[in-house]
Each structure stands twice: as structure tokens, then as C-alpha cells.
Amino acid sequence: MALVAHIDSGKTTLTESILLKSSYLSSRGTVDTGSTTTDFLPAERERGITIQSASIPVKWQDWTFNLIDTPGHADFGMEVESASRVVDGAVVLIDSVEGVEAQTKGVWRQLDRYGVLTRIMFLNKLDRPGASFGASIASLLSNRLHPHPLPLVLPIASFDPIHYAQAEPGIQGLVDLVKWRVWKWDNEGEVSCHPLPRDDVAFGSFSLLPSTHPILPHLIPARTQLLENLSMFSEELMEELLGLPSSPTAYLQIDSSKILRHLRRATVRNEILPVLGGSAMKDIGTDLVMDYIGELLASPVDVPHDPQVANAPVRMLAWKVAWDKKRGWMTFVRVYSGRVTRQSVVLNTNRNQRERVSKLLLLYAAEAQEVDELPFGSVGVILGLRYTRTGDTLVSTGGSASNRSVLRDITPPPAVIAASVIPQSHSDLEPVQEALNALARTDPSVRVDVQEGQILAHGMGALHLEIVEGRLRDEWGVRFELGQRRVSYREGLGLGPSSPNSSIWQTDSGGKQVEIMVSLEIRSLEPEEKGDPIWDGNVVLDEEGQPCPSPDTLSGTPRAHIFQGVASALSNSPNSSLALSHLHIKLIRFALPPGTPTSLLTGATAVILRNRIRDTGIGPILEPFVRLKISVTEDSLGKVVKDLTEHGGEVLDLGSGTTLDADGNEEVGGYPEDGVYIPPLNLSPSGSTDSGSSGPYRLKRSVYALAPLSKMLDYSNRLRALSGGHGLFEMANAGFKEVTEARKLEILKEIGRA
């Protein structure tokens, strides 16, 4: 299972808390001091952010979890993408002061894309001023994350009712509504657990909560609402509730083991979203998170899988590849069938290559433990694989054809920014190229190509390129300079006609001239058509009209060579040298003279397609845009909005609570609150003050905007000057958009094509 969230929501802190509670650690590290277990890269410790996902097997009670801590920054979305592909469940964190944020929705969509149905929501940082348990649940609905969030706990800000009247922030306890007990944490962090009474008389003498405590009137209604909402997804539970007497405490008599059975079934089917809360920094709520991970999240046998019998054929997915100076290439795998043993031979079905497994490891972040086998459902590391890349399927050699089918691939997001990599001397050229190719193998969201003699490294954002630069120097020790950052533009298809004889290519082969024919149908995508992320926003179809997989995963066949030629032509436009996007290409037919090597189809297809594109003339230019959320004080608002519009940005909203979708468009509206239990806001005293009240954090205004990435590369410096150092902003990719003719001319001049 993975921990996923927006940046700074507390994923790494929760991971550290889980490792401490499960006795893996004797003392915890912190992000601020750079001493956490899963953030072990020098750049992670220096910056206080997670850059790569880290996997740790955690033992808790009778369960073993393969816990994956993921980055929150959009620049490292590929790490979340690969982790989402192999997990069966996820804990999604929300900062309970901010509610649902831009990247929360981003990681939620990634989990949807890879079919990770079972999720638990953890409302973190309930000890901060302004935190609100109820408002955070309301934000799940307003941002359309899930129509049926189900709170399993209620927070106790303090066991002293006076603190509620004084709006004191904090969290000292949690009420577990399922197991009907109170968890209490004292000032030293020691935890105690107390069963709640199950009748009215005993409530009067319950010493842990004073009779004037504001949470008392809400305990029974919260438990009642939990069971009634859950019974909407279980006829058996509904019949049991209907058979109970009508007294207010009747629902308290139902045994928690019965509730958990129905709760787990509804969670595995994604009919409900269990909601927990706490403070990872203070280890409050971590015990409950681990209990409910074990009791509610799907295990490998709960998701579709091959029947497991003795000597079942091996089937696994490589979800990440890393380089280690001591160990060499490390391939992270998830075993979907059978068991992998040391010194066994497996077949990479994507590349049709045999690979030998030299060693098997269980990785505890940076620490490794060697094992003899990886059984079904486990996540581990294989040493010794030479050809395998992220997303490849590995199977037993000599298995049936059905076992060789390729598991679903992991799609890297499109790169939006590039920089030239300039070796310091001619002798540095080869080491730099080798280091870049090795880095692209470990991080598929880094794309490397050569344009007009320059080596270009493409990445997901400015921070991503900074990390790439640091890793090349620190891990591979190569000498180079990084050129000016440049946005990765795209070109569409021109409007001109193609020449009639554009499907034929003549060349010499074995001393005689041969004629190769590759007939392609080419057009621009319609506005309602969506491009394939595997093909960088293009659609590439075979003769039957079926989408073609990535050319990297094909080998040997004539069609593999044709589609490799298509990929080569699309990577570099003959008109502008930009990568091409929003094209619809269908293979109609091809003809190769007898005795001609099939490898010539790659060059033939590339030349034919490039000539067709050249004939149509230069097409529309597409520019990457970003979604922005800018938080500034009232007095800086006008200056910030003016600056955005002057730099080609479009203000979408001024913090009125409008929900924006992935493209920055206004969403239809949130899910209705009818039938959902939202705890009263006064249970989070510091977050329930009137929105018009004074206080420094109430003076902030949020600006939601859409802007071209090229104008936002230095935005942190601009915003600092505009807001007197008080402004904050978040940036997320919003895809490519067509530019105006005036802007097109600017871009062509910038890249030296006008």
C-alpha cells in the first residue's frame, strides 16, 4: 500500500511514525533535520522533500504491509505513477487546515487510472491552528473525491472543556466509533485506550470525559449515523439494525467484529471512503491507521489474480529501476503470480530478452536484507537484470503463451521543460551520454534527445531538472554544464496537402535498389479526441484500428520497426525541430520486397512520415500551461492579478471556493452532503471560528489561474517582490494548449526558426 498526498501533507512523517510504532525504529527522525528513514538521498535531506518513492515491509500485529512513501511534488509525479500501478490500496493524506489541494486531486486521479479501489483518508495535522475535521470532510465532497466519506473516528481536541471555549488548537485523543473506545495521548506521548460505556447510566459516571465536554452529545449520533450509512451498502446489516429496539443506545450493542466485516466489504468495493484523523508529528492516530490498514485495505488475494497452486508460473511487474554504486542495477518488482527464487532465469516479455536473477532483496528504504525467494503478492528488489526497464513484465521461461501476456504498462507523464547538457570537454561526452541514458532508465519521466548537435534533457519542471543536474554530478560524477532552461513546445499538423507519391521510399540494400511502401493515414486530432500519453498526445493505430503500444516495448516484428519509425519522426518535426503532438496516424498497409531486412522499415517509415509532415507545412504551436494557486494578503492581491495578466495568464477564480478540474476548468459542483455525516465544526475549536473574524491567516486570499509555463519559470522571485515575501504558490501541469499567431511567431524566433 502507498501513502500519497499533496506536498507537505505529512506522508514521510506518517511513515516515520508507523516505523516507530511497529518497532522498526527505536527513535524517530524528522523531515526538518533530514533524519527520516525513507528520505535518504542527499537532495531529499537538504531540501526536506521526498524525491523518489521508498519501499519498506512493515510488520504490525498479524499483518505485513509493503509500505511505499511517495513524493507529493508534481515534478516527481512519475514516482507516484509507478507506485500506484503496483499497490492494492492507498492511504491518502490531507492537511486538515488546507483541505483538498491541487495535487491531492492529481494523485487521486492516478489511483483511479490504475484501478486502486481501496483507500483510507487520513486527515493529518489536526494539532495545527485552523485545523478542522468537519471542514476537511466537507472538502472531500466539494472537490468530488468520493460521494460517501465515512468518519470512523471523532477528534478530541482536549479533555478539558475550557480549551474548547478558548478555541485552543490541539488534539489529545480520538474516539473510535467502530470499536467504541477512546484513545488518549498524554503530554509525553504515552497512549492509553478506554472502552466507552454502552448504556445511558454508565455514560453519567464515565470519568475520562467530564459531563460538560462538548463531544459527549455527539458520540451516540455519530455511531448511529456510521451504522445507518454503512447499512446502505449491506442488506444483512440493515436487517440487523431494523431488528433492534428503538432505544437511543441500541446501536451501541452491535459487536465491532460484525461492523468490521461489512466495513471491509464496502471498502474493498470502493462504495465508501473510511476517514481517520490525527497528527503524524505527535504519533496521534498512527495506531488506528495501522489497525484499519490491516482490517480494511485489500490484500493481494482480494484483487483479480491468477489462481495460486504449487509451482504456479512466475509473473511480475518491474515498477521501478534504480542505480546503486555498490549493488549496480536494482529492479523493484511486484510478484503477481508464483514465487521468484535466486539464480532463476526469467523472460522479459516486453523486450523478448532472458534475464538471470542473481540476488533477491527486501529493501528497508536504504537498508537491504537478502532473501532466498519473493512469494506471491510481495514487493522486493532483484539484482542482476540488464535489460529491464520500468513497466516491463517478467515471466517464467517456457511457460504457456497466456502467461506471457504483458501486464499493464506504466505511462510516464509528458515532459514540459528542457535544458541543454554541455560536456566540459570532448573526453566528457561519452560519460555524460552514458550517465543520461542510465538516469533515463531509473526515471522514465526524463527524456534525452539530440537536436542540431545539442544534447537536451527534458523533465517535468524546473525543480525536476535541478534534481537531474544534482544526481548526474553526485551519483555518476560526470563533468558538464547545464544550459538555459527552455520550455518544451510541441507542433501540430499543418494544413497543406501531401504529395501523391509520398508512401514510397527507395534505398540500396545488398548492392541493389529496393522500393519499400508504407501507407499511412495522417490527420489532426479532433477537439473532442484525446491523445495517448504513451505517444506524447498523439494517437497511433495499426491496420485493425487498435492503439499501438509504446515502441520501446516492441521488438523483432515488421510492425515493431514501422512504429519505431513513427516514433522517430514524431520526436522531431522537419519544420520546427519540435516534437509533434495531437496527430492521428493509422497504418493502412506496407510492402517489403522479398529478402529485404525488416529493419529497413524503421528508416523507411521515418522518412515517409517526415516528408508527409514537411509537405503540410508548419502547423499550430502548442505551449505547456500550468495551473496556479496563489495565496497572498489582501493588499497584494491587485498587484499579483495584474502581473498574471501581463504575463499571458488567465485568472479563473478569486478564492470563492470554486472547484477546478484537471484542466483548470470550473467543475459542475461537489457531491451533495445529504446522507453524509459531517461532524460539527465546533469539535475542532480552532478551525470553527467565524470566517469573518480577525487573525493573520484570515487575511489571505487565494487566486486560481492558468498561465503559460514559459512565463512562470522565475515566478517565485516575482511573487516574493510583489507580496513583500508573504506570498505562497502551488503549480501543477495543465497540459498543452494552442497559442495565437503572434505568440507562435515569438516562439519560432525563440527557437531560431523565424
Side-chain angles (χ1 to χ4, degrees):
M1 44 77 60
L3 300 181
V4 297
H6 185 87
I7 191 168
D8 282 344
S9 295
K11 298 176 295 299
T12 302
T13 306
L14 180 60
T15 302
E16 203 71 8
S17 181
I18 287 173
L19 296 178
L20 180 68
K21 290 284 185 179
S22 61
S23 303
Y24 175 76
L25 296 176
S26 56
S27 63
R28 65 177 298 151
T30 65
V31 173
D32 295 336
T33 59
S35 54
T36 59
T37 307
T38 50
D39 285 356
F40 53 84
L41 291 180
E44 291 179 313
R45 299 198 156 173
E46 181 186 327
R47 294 169 183 266
I49 60 171
T50 302
I51 291 169
Q52 64 174 21
S53 51
S55 170
I56 294 191
V58 174
K59 288 184 167 53
W60 176 253
Q61 295 181 16
D62 298 329
W63 300 297
T64 300
F65 317 131
N66 289 303
L67 177 64
I68 301 175
D69 177 27
T70 64
H73 202 288
D75 279 25
F76 310 112
M78 182 62 203
E79 293 287 327
V80 187
E81 195 86 21
S82 57
S84 301
R85 173 60 187 83
V86 294
V87 296
D88 300 321
V91 177
V92 184
L93 285 84
I94 281 182
D95 180 338
S96 51
V97 177
E98 303 294 338
V100 173
E101 297 175 86
Q103 196 58 15
T104 316
K105 291 190 271 188
V107 296
W108 194 266
R109 284 191 300 273
Q110 285 176 309
L111 295 173
D112 285 342
R113 189 158 58 245
Y114 290 108
V116 182
L117 295 180
T118 57
R119 304 169 203 179
I120 290 174
M121 186 63 68
F122 182 67
L123 307 184
N124 194 20
K125 304 190 180 184
L126 282 170
D127 55 326
R128 281 184 59 197
S132 174
F133 191 78
S136 296
I137 291 176
S139 80
L140 299 177
L141 295 167
S142 63
N143 286 280
R144 300 184 69 82
L145 258 62
H146 201 287
H148 302 293
L150 196 66
L152 306 187
V153 297
L154 285 183
I156 300 173
S158 171
F159 285 88
D160 186 346
I162 294 171
H163 292 152
Y164 281 80
Q166 296 170 343
E168 286 284 335
I171 180 162
Q172 294 181 3
L174 290 165
V175 178
D176 185 338
L177 297 172
V178 176
K179 298 177 181 174
W180 203 235
R181 55 192 183 184
V182 175
W183 292 73
K184 181 180 181 180
W185 283 265
D186 61 22
N187 294 332
E188 281 72 47
E190 294 299 317
V191 61
S192 56
C193 192
H194 310 267
L196 276 165
R198 294 186 183 260
D199 59 69
D200 284 339
V201 179
F203 255 113
S205 59
F206 187 56
S207 58
L208 195 64
L209 292 167
S211 58
T212 56
H213 200 286
I215 201 172
L216 279 176
H218 301 292
L219 292 180
I220 294 175
R223 163 87 166 196
T224 304
Q225 196 79 42
L226 167 77
L227 292 173
E228 287 182 350
N229 289 349
L230 183 57
S231 71
M232 302 303 290
F233 306 99
S234 170
E235 283 188 25
E236 186 186 333
L237 180 60
M238 184 171 277
E239 286 174 13
E240 188 167 347
L241 296 183
L242 291 172
L244 292 172
S246 57
S247 68
T249 57
Y251 283 14
L252 306 186
Q253 313 308 321
I254 297 180
D255 189 60
S256 62
S257 60
K258 283 185 182 176
I259 302 171
L260 281 168
R261 194 172 79 248
H262 300 293
L263 196 58
R264 186 172 202 279
R265 198 176 301 145
T267 305
V268 168
R269 293 174 183 164
N270 196 25
E271 293 168 334
I272 59 158
L273 176 64
V275 180
L276 302 170
S279 168
M281 180 58 81
K282 296 182 176 178
D283 302 318
I284 294 175
T286 308
D287 306 74
L288 280 90
V289 169
M290 290 197 288
D291 284 347
Y292 282 114
I293 285 172
E295 282 161 344
L296 302 183
L297 288 188
S299 75
V301 296
D302 294 314
V303 294
H305 63 282
D306 299 333
Q308 294 304 296
V309 294
N311 299 320
V314 170
R315 202 149 176 258
M316 53 188 169
L317 182 80
W319 61 276
K320 182 178 172 178
V321 178
W323 168 258
D324 184 89
K325 288 178 182 176
K326 294 178 183 174
R327 302 186 185 102
W329 287 109
M330 303 170 65
T331 307
F332 291 69
V333 295
R334 158 78 193 266
V335 183
Y336 283 95
S337 176
R339 56 181 62 236
V340 192
T341 55
R342 285 192 301 170
Q343 300 303 323
S344 58
V345 176
V346 292
L347 176 69
N348 183 325
T349 58
N350 298 71
R351 306 187 190 281
N352 203 25
Q353 292 276 6
R354 286 171 173 257
E355 298 265 41
R356 179 169 290 281
V357 177
S358 63
K359 287 184 180 178
L360 297 171
L361 306 175
L362 286 180
L363 209 61
Y364 295 83
E367 302 296 319
Q369 174 194 336
E370 200 169 324
V371 292
D372 292 327
E373 64 174 24
L374 292 176
F376 163 66
S378 60
V379 172
V381 175
I382 298 178
L383 301 185
L385 304 188
R386 296 168 57 198
Y387 307 104
T388 301
R389 299 174 81 97
T390 300
D392 287 359
T393 302
L394 299 162
V395 300
S396 306
T397 54
S400 64
S402 62
N403 187 52
R404 294 191 180 195
S405 60
V406 175
L407 291 164
R408 184 176 173 184
D409 202 354
I410 298 167
T411 307
V416 295
I417 191 168
S420 56
V421 181
I422 308 155
Q424 288 187 358
S425 67
H426 185 70
S427 61
D428 293 317
L429 177 61
E430 194 174 335
V432 165
Q433 287 178 320
E434 286 177 0
L436 278 168
N437 290 333
L439 182 63
R441 185 177 168 187
T442 68
D443 182 358
S445 60
V446 175
R447 195 164 57 81
V448 181
D449 64 9
V450 178
Q451 288 183 15
E452 298 171 348
Q454 267 195 333
I455 304 171
L456 291 181
H458 303 259
M460 298 285 296
L463 177 60
H464 191 200
L465 285 185
E466 279 182 42
I467 299 300
V468 165
E469 181 183 7
R471 288 187 66 190
L472 286 172
R473 293 190 202 284
D474 299 340
E475 294 178 38
W476 279 275
V478 290
R479 302 190 310 150
F480 66 96
E481 296 298 326
L482 205 64
Q484 188 178 355
R485 293 172 300 170
R486 194 184 89 188
V487 165
S488 298
Y489 302 108
R490 301 286 191 275
E491 183 192 331
L493 188 66
L495 299 173
S498 297
S499 60
N501 298 322
S502 53
S503 299
I504 307 294
W505 185 57
Q506 293 179 334
T507 187
D508 286 336
S509 174
K512 61 179 182 179
Q513 193 171 49
V514 295
E515 197 172 84
I516 300 171
M517 189 271 288
V518 180
S519 178
L520 300 166
E521 180 188 281
I522 309 169
R523 63 173 175 84
S524 295
L525 287 180
E526 299 296 331
E528 68 277 3
E529 288 182 296
K530 282 201 168 184
D532 188 341
I534 294 173
W535 286 92
D536 197 12
N538 298 294
V539 172
V540 181
L541 308 176
D542 60 17
E543 298 103 316
E544 279 80 43
Q546 295 302 311
C548 179
S550 167
D552 294 337
T553 64
L554 301 168
S555 59
T557 65
R559 282 170 189 77
H561 291 297
I562 288 172
F563 290 123
Q564 281 162 3
V566 170
S568 171
L570 291 175
S571 68
N572 194 318
S573 163
N575 301 311
S576 64
S577 80
L578 298 173
L580 289 147
S581 190
H582 290 55
L583 271 68
H584 185 287
I585 299 171
K586 183 181 178 186
L587 175 63
I588 304 299
R589 60 186 176 277
F590 65 94
L592 190 68
T596 310
T598 55
S599 58
L600 286 178
L601 282 167
T602 301
T605 307
V607 171
I608 288 167
L609 182 53
R610 198 168 275 127
N611 289 340
R612 294 273 302 271
I613 291 165
R614 183 185 289 113
D615 290 344
T616 61
I618 192 161
I621 300 295
L622 306 163
E623 179 170 20
F625 274 64
V626 289
R627 289 193 312 281
L628 289 160
K629 179 191 174 187
I630 308 156
S631 300
V632 289
T633 50
E634 191 80 50
D635 54 344
S636 308
L637 186 65
K639 289 184 280 186
V640 166
V641 170
K642 182 171 180 280
D643 174 78
L644 278 170
T645 52
E646 284 175 351
H647 286 84
E650 177 191 352
V651 176
L652 302 168
D653 189 50
L654 286 175
S656 63
T658 304
T659 305
L660 305 175
D661 68 10
D663 300 318
N665 302 317
E666 201 169 307
E667 285 189 345
V668 181
Y671 290 121
E673 295 184 2
D674 304 341
V676 176
Y677 177 66
I678 298 177
L681 297 182
N682 65 352
L683 294 187
S684 302
S686 77
S688 62
T689 51
D690 181 50
S691 59
S693 66
S694 61
Y697 61 90
R698 295 294 175 193
L699 300 175
K700 288 265 184 180
R701 290 290 298 273
S702 293
V703 181
Y704 296 88
L706 204 60
L709 174 63
S710 58
K711 306 290 186 184
M712 295 289 135
L713 295 178
D714 62 343
Y715 193 62
S716 55
N717 297 332
R718 289 215 313 269
L719 183 62
R720 194 178 301 123
L722 290 166
S723 63
H726 294 293
L728 299 170
F729 76 99
E730 299 161 9
M731 195 182 284
N733 294 339
F736 287 83
K737 299 189 183 296
E738 199 172 311
V739 301
T740 61
E741 283 299 317
R743 177 69 184 134
K744 176 179 176 179
L745 193 59
E746 280 179 31
I747 292 170
L748 291 175
K749 282 180 180 173
E750 182 187 323
I751 62 175
R753 291 282 170 168

PDB file of all heavy atoms in Angstrom, residues 268-289:
ATOM      1  N   VAL A 268     -13.502  -2.482   0.126  1.00  0.00           N
ATOM      2  CA  VAL A 268     -12.863  -3.193  -0.988  1.00  0.00           C
ATOM      3  C   VAL A 268     -13.589  -2.902  -2.298  1.00  0.00           C
ATOM      4  O   VAL A 268     -12.978  -2.824  -3.359  1.00  0.00           O
ATOM      5  CB  VAL A 268     -12.800  -4.713  -0.699  1.00  0.00           C
ATOM      6  CG1 VAL A 268     -12.409  -5.508  -1.930  1.00  0.00           C
ATOM      7  CG2 VAL A 268     -11.814  -4.998   0.431  1.00  0.00           C
ATOM      8  N   ARG A 269     -14.916  -2.695  -2.216  1.00  0.00           N
ATOM      9  CA  ARG A 269     -15.687  -2.373  -3.438  1.00  0.00           C
ATOM     10  C   ARG A 269     -15.678  -0.878  -3.754  1.00  0.00           C
ATOM     11  O   ARG A 269     -16.319  -0.451  -4.708  1.00  0.00           O
ATOM     12  CB  ARG A 269     -17.140  -2.810  -3.247  1.00  0.00           C
ATOM     13  CG  ARG A 269     -17.342  -4.310  -3.162  1.00  0.00           C
ATOM     14  CD  ARG A 269     -18.798  -4.577  -2.838  1.00  0.00           C
ATOM     15  NE  ARG A 269     -19.092  -5.985  -2.667  1.00  0.00           N
ATOM     16  CZ  ARG A 269     -20.193  -6.455  -2.083  1.00  0.00           C
ATOM     17  NH1 ARG A 269     -21.090  -5.606  -1.611  1.00  0.00           N
ATOM     18  NH2 ARG A 269     -20.405  -7.738  -1.974  1.00  0.00           N
ATOM     19  N   ASN A 270     -15.012  -0.072  -2.932  1.00  0.00           N
ATOM     20  CA  ASN A 270     -14.946   1.383  -3.106  1.00  0.00           C
ATOM     21  C   ASN A 270     -16.321   2.041  -3.000  1.00  0.00           C
ATOM     22  O   ASN A 270     -16.580   3.084  -3.605  1.00  0.00           O
ATOM     23  CB  ASN A 270     -14.288   1.746  -4.448  1.00  0.00           C
ATOM     24  CG  ASN A 270     -13.849   3.203  -4.504  1.00  0.00           C
ATOM     25  OD1 ASN A 270     -13.606   3.827  -3.471  1.00  0.00           O
ATOM     26  ND2 ASN A 270     -13.782   3.772  -5.683  1.00  0.00           N
ATOM     27  N   GLU A 271     -17.217   1.425  -2.212  1.00  0.00           N
ATOM     28  CA  GLU A 271     -18.542   2.029  -2.025  1.00  0.00           C
ATOM     29  C   GLU A 271     -18.502   3.136  -0.979  1.00  0.00           C
ATOM     30  O   GLU A 271     -19.321   4.047  -0.998  1.00  0.00           O
ATOM     31  CB  GLU A 271     -19.550   0.940  -1.610  1.00  0.00           C
ATOM     32  CG  GLU A 271     -19.796  -0.065  -2.720  1.00  0.00           C
ATOM     33  CD  GLU A 271     -20.560  -1.300  -2.249  1.00  0.00           C
ATOM     34  OE1 GLU A 271     -20.481  -1.639  -1.050  1.00  0.00           O
ATOM     35  OE2 GLU A 271     -21.215  -1.939  -3.083  1.00  0.00           O
ATOM     36  N   ILE A 272     -17.539   3.039  -0.067  1.00  0.00           N
ATOM     37  CA  ILE A 272     -17.362   4.071   0.961  1.00  0.00           C
ATOM     38  C   ILE A 272     -15.885   4.462   1.028  1.00  0.00           C
ATOM     39  O   ILE A 272     -15.023   3.747   0.514  1.00  0.00           O
ATOM     40  CB  ILE A 272     -17.814   3.573   2.362  1.00  0.00           C
ATOM     41  CG1 ILE A 272     -16.995   2.325   2.745  1.00  0.00           C
ATOM     42  CG2 ILE A 272     -19.298   3.318   2.416  1.00  0.00           C
ATOM     43  CD1 ILE A 272     -16.941   2.076   4.212  1.00  0.00           C
ATOM     44  N   LEU A 273     -15.615   5.602   1.661  1.00  0.00           N
ATOM     45  CA  LEU A 273     -14.236   6.052   1.889  1.00  0.00           C
ATOM     46  C   LEU A 273     -14.040   6.222   3.396  1.00  0.00           C
ATOM     47  O   LEU A 273     -14.510   7.203   3.976  1.00  0.00           O
ATOM     48  CB  LEU A 273     -13.990   7.379   1.175  1.00  0.00           C
ATOM     49  CG  LEU A 273     -12.614   8.012   1.408  1.00  0.00           C
ATOM     50  CD1 LEU A 273     -11.507   7.132   0.840  1.00  0.00           C
ATOM     51  CD2 LEU A 273     -12.550   9.409   0.795  1.00  0.00           C
ATOM     52  N   PRO A 274     -13.375   5.263   4.069  1.00  0.00           N
ATOM     53  CA  PRO A 274     -13.152   5.402   5.515  1.00  0.00           C
ATOM     54  C   PRO A 274     -12.270   6.618   5.802  1.00  0.00           C
ATOM     55  O   PRO A 274     -11.276   6.849   5.113  1.00  0.00           O
ATOM     56  CB  PRO A 274     -12.431   4.104   5.900  1.00  0.00           C
ATOM     57  CG  PRO A 274     -12.647   3.172   4.755  1.00  0.00           C
ATOM     58  CD  PRO A 274     -12.801   4.019   3.542  1.00  0.00           C
ATOM     59  N   VAL A 275     -12.641   7.411   6.811  1.00  0.00           N
ATOM     60  CA  VAL A 275     -11.894   8.625   7.149  1.00  0.00           C
ATOM     61  C   VAL A 275     -11.380   8.514   8.586  1.00  0.00           C
ATOM     62  O   VAL A 275     -12.154   8.280   9.522  1.00  0.00           O
ATOM     63  CB  VAL A 275     -12.774   9.885   7.007  1.00  0.00           C
ATOM     64  CG1 VAL A 275     -11.970  11.134   7.361  1.00  0.00           C
ATOM     65  CG2 VAL A 275     -13.323  10.003   5.588  1.00  0.00           C
ATOM     66  N   LEU A 276     -10.059   8.682   8.736  1.00  0.00           N
ATOM     67  CA  LEU A 276      -9.404   8.710  10.050  1.00  0.00           C
ATOM     68  C   LEU A 276      -8.764  10.080  10.225  1.00  0.00           C
ATOM     69  O   LEU A 276      -8.744  10.893   9.301  1.00  0.00           O
ATOM     70  CB  LEU A 276      -8.352   7.612  10.149  1.00  0.00           C
ATOM     71  CG  LEU A 276      -8.844   6.179   9.921  1.00  0.00           C
ATOM     72  CD1 LEU A 276      -7.669   5.227   9.796  1.00  0.00           C
ATOM     73  CD2 LEU A 276      -9.760   5.744  11.059  1.00  0.00           C
ATOM     74  N   GLY A 277      -8.227  10.345  11.409  1.00  0.00           N
ATOM     75  CA  GLY A 277      -7.583  11.631  11.640  1.00  0.00           C
ATOM     76  C   GLY A 277      -6.521  11.522  12.714  1.00  0.00           C
ATOM     77  O   GLY A 277      -6.398  10.501  13.404  1.00  0.00           O
ATOM     78  N   GLY A 278      -5.731  12.601  12.864  1.00  0.00           N
ATOM     79  CA  GLY A 278      -4.704  12.606  13.899  1.00  0.00           C
ATOM     80  C   GLY A 278      -3.604  13.598  13.577  1.00  0.00           C
ATOM     81  O   GLY A 278      -3.782  14.525  12.792  1.00  0.00           O
ATOM     82  N   SER A 279      -2.454  13.354  14.196  1.00  0.00           N
ATOM     83  CA  SER A 279      -1.274  14.184  13.974  1.00  0.00           C
ATOM     84  C   SER A 279      -0.066  13.263  13.886  1.00  0.00           C
ATOM     85  O   SER A 279       0.372  12.705  14.905  1.00  0.00           O
ATOM     86  CB  SER A 279      -1.091  15.184  15.122  1.00  0.00           C
ATOM     87  OG  SER A 279       0.187  15.787  15.052  1.00  0.00           O
ATOM     88  N   ALA A 280       0.456  13.093  12.664  1.00  0.00           N
ATOM     89  CA  ALA A 280       1.590  12.177  12.473  1.00  0.00           C
ATOM     90  C   ALA A 280       2.822  12.645  13.235  1.00  0.00           C
ATOM     91  O   ALA A 280       3.598  11.835  13.739  1.00  0.00           O
ATOM     92  CB  ALA A 280       1.905  12.060  10.980  1.00  0.00           C
ATOM     93  N   MET A 281       3.012  13.970  13.354  1.00  0.00           N
ATOM     94  CA  MET A 281       4.185  14.506  14.049  1.00  0.00           C
ATOM     95  C   MET A 281       4.183  14.101  15.520  1.00  0.00           C
ATOM     96  O   MET A 281       5.237  13.859  16.110  1.00  0.00           O
ATOM     97  CB  MET A 281       4.193  16.034  13.909  1.00  0.00           C
ATOM     98  CG  MET A 281       5.365  16.717  14.590  1.00  0.00           C
ATOM     99  SD  MET A 281       6.966  16.148  14.006  1.00  0.00           S
ATOM    100  CE  MET A 281       7.112  17.098  12.516  1.00  0.00           C
ATOM    101  N   LYS A 282       2.979  13.997  16.121  1.00  0.00           N
ATOM    102  CA  LYS A 282       2.873  13.618  17.540  1.00  0.00           C
ATOM    103  C   LYS A 282       2.504  12.150  17.722  1.00  0.00           C
ATOM    104  O   LYS A 282       2.174  11.733  18.838  1.00  0.00           O
ATOM    105  CB  LYS A 282       1.828  14.509  18.219  1.00  0.00           C
ATOM    106  CG  LYS A 282       2.231  15.991  18.239  1.00  0.00           C
ATOM    107  CD  LYS A 282       1.192  16.826  18.952  1.00  0.00           C
ATOM    108  CE  LYS A 282       1.645  18.292  19.048  1.00  0.00           C
ATOM    109  NZ  LYS A 282       0.631  19.147  19.688  1.00  0.00           N
ATOM    110  N   ASP A 283       2.514  11.383  16.628  1.00  0.00           N
ATOM    111  CA  ASP A 283       2.170   9.949  16.661  1.00  0.00           C
ATOM    112  C   ASP A 283       0.734   9.712  17.105  1.00  0.00           C
ATOM    113  O   ASP A 283       0.394   8.621  17.586  1.00  0.00           O
ATOM    114  CB  ASP A 283       3.129   9.151  17.566  1.00  0.00           C
ATOM    115  CG  ASP A 283       4.576   9.291  17.133  1.00  0.00           C
ATOM    116  OD1 ASP A 283       4.818   9.254  15.918  1.00  0.00           O
ATOM    117  OD2 ASP A 283       5.450   9.468  17.998  1.00  0.00           O
ATOM    118  N   ILE A 284      -0.134  10.702  16.944  1.00  0.00           N
ATOM    119  CA  ILE A 284      -1.534  10.555  17.358  1.00  0.00           C
ATOM    120  C   ILE A 284      -2.341  10.030  16.174  1.00  0.00           C
ATOM    121  O   ILE A 284      -2.361  10.646  15.100  1.00  0.00           O
ATOM    122  CB  ILE A 284      -2.106  11.906  17.849  1.00  0.00           C
ATOM    123  CG1 ILE A 284      -1.386  12.321  19.136  1.00  0.00           C
ATOM    124  CG2 ILE A 284      -3.607  11.823  18.070  1.00  0.00           C
ATOM    125  CD1 ILE A 284      -1.771  13.695  19.661  1.00  0.00           C
ATOM    126  N   GLY A 285      -2.972   8.895  16.361  1.00  0.00           N
ATOM    127  CA  GLY A 285      -3.784   8.281  15.317  1.00  0.00           C
ATOM    128  C   GLY A 285      -3.045   7.249  14.491  1.00  0.00           C
ATOM    129  O   GLY A 285      -3.665   6.549  13.687  1.00  0.00           O
ATOM    130  N   THR A 286      -1.725   7.108  14.689  1.00  0.00           N
ATOM    131  CA  THR A 286      -0.957   6.154  13.880  1.00  0.00           C
ATOM    132  C   THR A 286      -1.392   4.715  14.162  1.00  0.00           C
ATOM    133  O   THR A 286      -1.513   3.901  13.235  1.00  0.00           O
ATOM    134  CB  THR A 286       0.556   6.299  14.169  1.00  0.00           C
ATOM    135  OG1 THR A 286       0.918   7.671  14.018  1.00  0.00           O
ATOM    136  CG2 THR A 286       1.372   5.469  13.211  1.00  0.00           C
ATOM    137  N   ASP A 287      -1.663   4.397  15.432  1.00  0.00           N
ATOM    138  CA  ASP A 287      -2.101   3.030  15.793  1.00  0.00           C
ATOM    139  C   ASP A 287      -3.388   2.673  15.058  1.00  0.00           C
ATOM    140  O   ASP A 287      -3.538   1.565  14.530  1.00  0.00           O
ATOM    141  CB  ASP A 287      -2.347   2.924  17.307  1.00  0.00           C
ATOM    142  CG  ASP A 287      -1.153   3.363  18.132  1.00  0.00           C
ATOM    143  OD1 ASP A 287      -0.909   4.585  18.207  1.00  0.00           O
ATOM    144  OD2 ASP A 287      -0.479   2.496  18.688  1.00  0.00           O
ATOM    145  N   LEU A 288      -4.322   3.639  15.015  1.00  0.00           N
ATOM    146  CA  LEU A 288      -5.596   3.371  14.344  1.00  0.00           C
ATOM    147  C   LEU A 288      -5.406   3.223  12.843  1.00  0.00           C
ATOM    148  O   LEU A 288      -6.051   2.389  12.204  1.00  0.00           O
ATOM    149  CB  LEU A 288      -6.598   4.498  14.629  1.00  0.00           C
ATOM    150  CG  LEU A 288      -7.295   4.421  15.976  1.00  0.00           C
ATOM    151  CD1 LEU A 288      -6.509   5.171  17.031  1.00  0.00           C
ATOM    152  CD2 LEU A 288      -8.696   4.983  15.887  1.00  0.00           C
ATOM    153  N   VAL A 289      -4.511   4.036  12.260  1.00  0.00           N
ATOM    154  CA  VAL A 289      -4.242   3.921  10.817  1.00  0.00           C
ATOM    155  C   VAL A 289      -3.753   2.514  10.504  1.00  0.00           C
ATOM    156  O   VAL A 289      -4.241   1.863   9.575  1.00  0.00           O
ATOM    157  CB  VAL A 289      -3.195   4.969  10.361  1.00  0.00           C
ATOM    158  CG1 VAL A 289      -2.709   4.674   8.945  1.00  0.00           C
ATOM    159  CG2 VAL A 289      -3.782   6.367  10.407  1.00  0.00           C
TER     160      VAL A 289
END
